[in-house]
Amino acid sequence: MKTKEEVYQILSKVTDPEIPVLTLEDLGVIRDIRVISDDEVNIKITPTYSGCPATDVMADDIRAALFVAGFSKIKIEQVISPAWTTDWLSPKGKEKLNKYGIAPPVAAVSLEEAIVECPHCGSKNTQVISAFGSTACKALFQCHDCLEPFDYFKCHV
Ligand SMILES: [Zn+2]
């Protein structure tokens, strides 16, 4: 029977469907692992972008990785409270996200009010250009300092 640690290692290699440079470990979304038997495991994860199709894709990817590892009875439970915030991102994860040119979600009432840090130069002097970026879960922002446009994750709890 696999240990909790071994299952964690399998899960930690699964990547975010929206941001393939980030692993579940970088995102800090793995809440609980319970190995029941040789082929049965229960997982608890916190979705990063609630209501986004990416969450379902992530669950499918987890299922596939565990299936390959020999599990056939896989239960994935989504823990939505406490809600995921970018504080859960590992320092390595934050670095990867910035290198990838995507600003992580911030707590804000609306896109216009969101103070989003430019992933290129770190400036907070940014503005939303379009509510829809490269995918439905992203908005397009522009930085007033370095003038670079960038994606911002608007789907969050
Ligand atoms: Zn900038």
Side-chain angles (χ1 to χ4, degrees), residues 65-83:
L66 291 171
F67 188 79
V68 169
F71 292 100
S72 59
K73 293 180 201 127
I74 304 152
K75 194 176 143 205
I76 301 169
E77 201 182 314
Q78 294 192 359
V79 183
I80 51 166
S81 178

Side-chain angles (χ1 to χ4, degrees), residues 118-123 125-126 142-148 150:
C118 169
H120 304 292
C121 71
S123 165
N125 187 12
T126 61
Q142 186 161 25
C143 175
H144 291 307
D145 286 328
C146 71
L147 304 177
E148 288 289 329
F150 62 91

